[in-house]
Amino acid sequence: MRVTVTGAAGQIGYALLFRIASGAMLGADTRVDLRLLELPAAARAAEGIAMELQDCAFPTLGTVDVFDDAVPAFDGAEIALLVGSRPRGPGMERRDLLEANGGIFAPQGRALNAGAAADVRVLVVGNPANTNALIAAAHAPDIPAERFTAMTRLDHNRAVAQLAAHESVPVHQVSGVAIWGNHSATQYPDLTHTRVDGRPLGLDRGWYADEFIPTVAKRGAAIIEARGSSSAASAASAAIDHVRDWVAGTPGGEWTSAALPSDGSYGVPEGVVSSFPVRSVAGEWRIVPGLEIDAFSRERIDASVAELVEERNAVRELGLLG
Ligand SMILES: NC(=O)C1=CN([C@@H]2O[C@H](COP(=O)(O)OP(=O)(O)OC[C@H]3O[C@@H](n4cnc5c(N)ncnc54)[C@H](O)[C@@H]3O)[C@@H](O)[C@H]2O)C=CC1
Ligand SMILES: O=C([O-])CC(=O)C(=O)O
């Protein structure tokens, strides 16, 4: 399979590429041809990573090519991991950030439209991930919008791990966790449908509202504070999980979380790229239907979706949705 990774020379790229090449994402029987896209200034560093990939002699790795132009980089891509983005700089307003990223994700959407495989799967990791995915999809009219997704799997994995630690159970006993909304501090990590070892969780509402939700929602900032730079290996691992499940299916009828263009489910306006509880069936993400949403959950989902709608309005005003 042909896999294009943007931002290949960045921190997530360095944690991600070796796992893709080793078969962790697409399995031990799938040969992977990697196409690394970087800015011209970082293309040399990407060449160095290509050398290291070769030196691993992974049996699953085919070719590795480095590009500083999106059009050839996405040619024939079956999977596109859009990691490279413009980080917020000093004094930069949210609007400046959206505009700068529009300058990256609009041309990448056009390049995907021009040359990617008809059934390409796109995962946007680079922040603001949900809205970057919306921009890329808007510039790829020939690719169905649902092929554009954004990553909330890291938030999902953080939520599972926090709950498992709180309940003193192994992570594999936790099911039915959901992330709703934006990959931002407004996200809603939902435990109201969660089961532990197959039994409904007796939810401690005080801990849930006062500790669990803020810990998960602010985990990215806590990592930056502790490590001096943002999550990289855990983000790469979540990207591997997202694509693996999308291609191979979510195991055992379980759900996970991913941000997808809304079909209007759960009152999320159609087209907004929002996180939902999802299953992957026959190679496609499907929003888990029919969940009961209590008043507490409703308020939090609505707040995060309102932020996404604001972001959509802002990029529309900037002319970034075409
Ligand atoms: N969705 C999520 O859960 C998470 C998202 N992130 C986001 O992922 C992004 C990448 O993070 P890091 O790897 O730590 O950043 P980084 O700054 O280490 O690397 C980013 C790389 O992207 C490259 N790049 C920038 N513009 C590009 C373009 N137009 N085409 C190709 N490459 C380009 C840069 O040259 C750089 O090498 C950031 O936006 C970060 O906020 C990080 C963690 C979790
Ligand atoms: O907060 C950041 O910049 C990185 C990020 O998205 C996360 O760790 O969830």
Side-chain angles (χ1 to χ4, degrees):
M1 282 185 92
R2 195 175 265 208
V3 179
T4 302
V5 178
T6 78
Q11 332 177 61
I12 294 175
Y14 198 68
L16 180 61
L17 288 163
F18 296 86
R19 293 195 59 202
I20 299 173
S22 71
M25 186 168 84
L26 296 169
D29 299 325
T30 303
R31 185 186 119 144
V32 175
D33 290 333
L34 281 172
R35 299 170 82 79
L36 316 187
L37 177 64
E38 256 298 348
L39 295 175
R44 182 84 188 116
E47 295 281 2
I49 296 172
M51 289 159 69
E52 282 202 81
L53 283 162
Q54 182 182 25
D55 294 349
C56 292
F58 291 120
T60 38
L61 184 59
T63 56
V64 184
D65 294 289
V66 175
F67 301 89
D68 61 10
D69 177 352
V71 174
F74 288 121
D75 187 43
E78 295 166 273
I79 294 175
L81 293 157
L82 309 190
V83 179
S85 73
R86 175 75 190 277
R88 190 193 292 257
M92 219 171 159
E93 299 294 333
R94 190 167 186 85
R95 191 186 165 83
D96 303 329
L97 184 73
L98 291 170
E99 189 162 26
N101 280 297
I104 295 174
F105 289 87
Q108 290 186 358
R110 285 193 289 272
L112 282 159
N113 198 58
D119 61 349
V120 64
R121 291 178 165 90
V122 183
L123 172 62
V124 177
V125 174
N127 281 319
N130 302 54
T131 296
N132 288 340
L134 183 74
I135 294 169
H139 293 270
D142 301 330
I143 300 173
E146 64 268 19
R147 309 306 285 184
F148 287 82
T149 65
M151 191 166 91
T152 53
R153 184 61 173 263
L154 177 56
D155 309 295
H156 179 94
N157 289 347
R158 287 166 172 164
V160 168
Q162 288 297 321
L163 177 65
H166 184 254
E167 298 293 311
S168 304
V169 298
V171 287
H172 71 82
Q173 288 187 4
V174 172
S175 61
V177 169
I179 305 295
W180 300 86
N182 201 1
H183 172 68
S184 76
T186 68
Q187 67 177 267
Y188 173 48
D190 179 0
L191 294 183
T192 63
H193 306 282
T194 298
R195 301 175 87 84
V196 172
D197 201 16
R199 286 185 292 277
L201 169 69
L203 187 55
D204 169 352
R205 286 274 172 177
W207 169 79
Y208 181 47
D210 300 337
E211 284 186 48
F212 172 81
I213 294 173
T215 299
V216 173
K218 294 182 193 157
R219 188 69 162 181
I223 302 284
I224 293 171
E225 163 76 21
R227 216 173 76 83
S229 44
S230 61
S231 317
S234 55
S237 194
I240 295 277
D241 290 346
H242 177 112
V243 175
R244 186 198 58 228
D245 286 354
W246 193 355
V247 173
T250 32
E254 295 284 347
W255 350 315
T256 183
S257 303
L260 325 168
S262 175
D263 61 1
S265 293
Y266 297 102
V268 180
E270 208 172 322
V272 166
V273 179
S274 171
S275 188
F276 290 98
V278 290
R279 290 190 182 92
S280 165
V281 182
E284 290 180 7
W285 289 119
R286 298 196 186 152
I287 296 170
V288 176
L291 295 173
E292 203 171 300
I293 306 296
D294 65 18
F296 180 92
S297 296
R298 186 75 263 164
E299 197 179 309
R300 278 157 187 76
I301 294 170
D302 288 350
S304 193
V305 169
E307 182 183 55
L308 285 170
V309 170
E310 260 174 49
E311 288 183 16
R312 181 174 70 172
N313 292 343
V315 295
R316 193 181 271 150
E317 273 171 33
L318 290 165
L320 294 173
L321 297 185

